[in-house]
C-alpha cells in the first residue's frame, strides 16, 4: 500500500504494558546486522553455493534446498535425507533444537533473503571449491564479528574438484587474509599446504572443553584420509586453541581441529571432510564413511562443535565463546517475528496484524504502526532482561511507506528506545520500497531489565506506515 490511508479491522489490544526501567547508560548506535535465533532453536546454515558438490564431493545435508524438511519432515535415519552430510543434518534435526537450511547462492549479511546470515547462528562451510567474492568475505567476517559461529571444514592441498585453480586450503586462507573487515590473522591460524594421507589425530586432555566433552558425547580421536592441518598463531589471537593433533605434533603445529573467537563470534576449523562423510549420497559419487569410523569419534566432534558455534553448547573452555566466556549466546525477545500473534508484546490495538495491505517480511504477521492519514499514535513494547557480562545487539527490519511528498519535512515519526535511551528516530523521509535492517549495540544495558519500545506518531493528514518485522535481541 503506497500513498493511501490505512483501512482494516482492529485486533484486540495486547497485554498490559510492562514498566519502563529508566537507565542513564549511553548507547553506541551501529549499523551491523546481528545473527538471530529463537531461545530454544539454533539456526544453522550449510553452504552449497561454492561447488561443494563438484567431482566426487557431495557435501550437502539434503538434496532438498534450502529446506531439508521438504525431503522428509521427520527423518529417523540418515538415508531419509540424501547427501554425504545427511548424518550430520539428521542428528541435529532429531534433537528438536535445530533449524537447518542450505544456501545455494551468494552469502549475504543484512539482506532480505531467507538464507541471509542474519537469520542464522552458525554457518558451515564444508570444503568450498570456489573463492568467496569480496562481498561474501565481508558478509562472513561481519557475521562472525557480531556473534555468529563459523565452521570451516577443509580438505588437502590439491583437492580442486572443479578445476578452477583453487582448493579449500587456498580459499580459507584467502578468506582470512584478504577481506575488508580484518586481514591481520583474525582467527589466529592459517591452513597448512599439506596432503596428509592417513591418521587418527588424538584429542588433547581438557575435561572442561565443550567441543571435546559436549552433550553429543566425548571426543577422543578423529580421522585423516587425505587432509591437512593448521598452524596456530596465538600471538595474533590468544583465543586460538588446538583440540586434536596429528600424531607427533602439539602446540602451534599440526592442529587437525582448532577453535578460536573473533569479535563476539566463534570459529572452528577441521582439516578434512572425510570425518563428516557418512558414505551415502547422490548416485555416482565415490564416498567414504568417516562418520561411522570405529576408530574415531567424528560424530560427537561434529555435533558438539556445531552446538558450541551456534550457542547451544557451554561457553566454558574452547575458544572462550562470545562475551569472554561469561555469557551464553541467545536471542532474548519473545515472539520476535510476531508469528504467535498478539502475545508477549504490549501493543496498541491493531498493531500486530496479518493484514495484506502491508506485507510481512517473513511469515504472516508483522507490527504495523500508524498509516491512518490522521493524527494517531501507536506503540509496541517488550520488557527484556539482559544478563550481566553479555554483549547485546538489538536488530529489526523496518519498512516505511508514506503518502507524504515532501523531501525535507518529517511530519510522521517512529522513535525506538531501549530503557530511557533513544536509539533512533525514523520518519516519512525514510520511506523505501522494502524492508531495511536496523541494528544497535545495547551492551551497556547488560545486567538490567529494560523495555524496548517503538512509538509511531502520525500527523493530521497523509499517511505514513511504519512496519516492523523479525526483531531480535541477541546476546553473546
Amino acid at each position: 500500500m503506497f500513498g493511501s490511508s490505512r483501512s482494516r479491522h482492529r485486533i484486540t489490544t495486547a497485554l498490559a504494558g510492562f514498566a519502563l526501567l529508566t537507565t542513564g547508560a549511553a548507547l553506541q548506535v551501529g549499523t551491523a546486522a546481528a545473527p538471530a535465533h529463537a531461545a530454544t532453536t539454533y539456526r544453522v546454515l550449510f553452504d552449497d553455493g561454492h561447488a561443494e558438490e563438484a567431482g566426487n564431493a557431495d557435501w550437502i545435508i539434503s538434496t532438498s534446498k534450502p529446506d531439508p524438511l521438504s525431503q522428509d519432515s521427520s527423518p529417523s535415519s540418515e538415508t531419509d535425507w540424501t547427501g554425504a552430510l545427511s548424518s550430520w543434518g539428521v542428528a541435529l534435526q532429531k534433537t528438536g533444537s535445530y533449524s537447518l537450511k542450505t544456501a545455494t547462492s551468494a552469502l549475504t549479511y543484512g539482506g532480505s533473503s531467507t538464507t541471509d546470515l542474519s537469520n542464522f547462528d552458525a554457518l558451515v562451510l564444508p570444503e568450498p571449491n570456489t573463492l568467496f567474492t569480496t562481498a561474501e568475505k565481508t558478509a562472513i567476517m561481519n557475521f562472525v564479528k557480531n556473534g555468529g559461529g563459523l565452521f570451516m571444514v577443509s580438505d588437502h592441498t590439491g583437492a580442486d574438484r572443479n578445476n578452477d585453480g583453487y582448493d579449500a586450503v587456498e580459499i580459507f586462507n584467502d578468506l582470512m587474509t584478504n577481506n575488508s573487515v580484518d586481514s591481520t590473522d583474525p582467527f589466529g591460524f592459517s591452513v597448512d599446504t599439506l596432503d596428509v594421507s592417513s591418521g587418527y589425530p588424538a584429542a588433547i586432555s581438557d575435561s572442561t572443553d565443550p567441543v571435546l566433552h559436549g552433550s553429543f558425547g566425548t571426543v577422543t580421536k578423529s580421522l585423516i584420509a587425505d587432509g591437512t592441518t593448521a598452524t596456530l598463531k596465538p600471538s595474533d589471537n590468544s583465543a586460538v586453541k588446538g583440540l586434536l593433533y596429528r600424531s607427533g605434533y602439539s602446540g602451534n603445529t599440526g592442529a587437525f581441529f582448532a577453535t578460536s573467537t573473533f569479535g563476539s563470534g566463534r570459529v572452528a576449523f577441521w582439516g578434512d571432510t572425510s570425518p563428516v562423510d557418512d558414505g551415502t549420497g547422490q548416485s555416482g559419487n565415490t564416498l567414504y564413511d568417516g562418520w561411522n569410523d570405529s576408530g574415531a569419534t567424528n560424530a560427537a566432534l561434529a555435533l558438539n562443535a556445531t552446538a558450541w558455534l551456534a550457542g547451544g553448547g557451554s561457553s566454558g573452555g574452547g575458544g572462550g565463546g562470545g562475551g569472554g566466556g561469561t555469557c551464553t549466546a541467545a536471542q532474548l525477545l519473545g515472539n520476535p517475528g510476531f508469528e504467535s500473534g498478539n502475545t508477549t508484546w504490549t501493543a496498541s490495538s491493531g498493531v500486530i496484524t496479518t493484514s495484506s495491505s502491508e506485507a510481512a517480511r517473513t511469515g504472516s504477521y508483522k507490527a504495523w504502526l500508524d498509516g491512518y492519514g490522521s493524527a494517531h499514535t501507536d506503540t509496541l513494547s517488550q520488557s527484556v532482561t539482559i544478563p550481566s557480562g553479555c554483549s547485546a545487539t538489538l536488530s529489526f527490519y523496518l519498512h516505511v511507506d508514506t503518502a507524504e511528498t515532501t523531501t525535507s519535512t518529517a511530519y510522521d515519526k517512529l522513535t525506538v528506545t531501549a530503557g530511557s535511551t533513544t536509539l533512533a528516530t525514523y520518519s516519512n523521509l525514510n520511506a523505501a520500497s522494502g524492508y531495511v535492517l536496523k541494528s544497535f549495540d545495547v551492551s551497556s544495558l547488560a545486567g538490567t531489565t529494560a523495555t524496548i519500545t517503538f512509538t509511531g506518531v502520525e500527523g493530521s493528514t497523509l499517511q505514513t506506515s511504519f512496519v516492523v518485522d523479525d526483531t531480535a535481541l541477541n546476546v553473546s
Side-chain angles (χ1 to χ4, degrees), residues 17 57 73 109 150 198 221 224 288 308 370 407 416 428 430 447 460:
S73 61
Y109 183 48
L150 176 64
S198 62
K221 289 185 177 182
I224 301 180
Y288 177 85
W308 179 73
D370 297 329
T407 59
V416 185
N428 47 280
N430 299 112
S460 59

Side-chain angles (χ1 to χ4, degrees), residues 134-135 137-139 141-142 175 177-183:
T134 298
K137 287 185 285 187
T138 299
M141 296 299 292
N142 277 327
L175 169 65
T177 63
N178 185 26
N179 68 80
S180 64
V181 179
D182 187 339
S183 292

Side-chain angles (χ1 to χ4, degrees), residues 11 19 59 115 171 198 212:
I11 16 183
W59 312 136
T115 56
I171 291 164
S198 62
L212 298 179

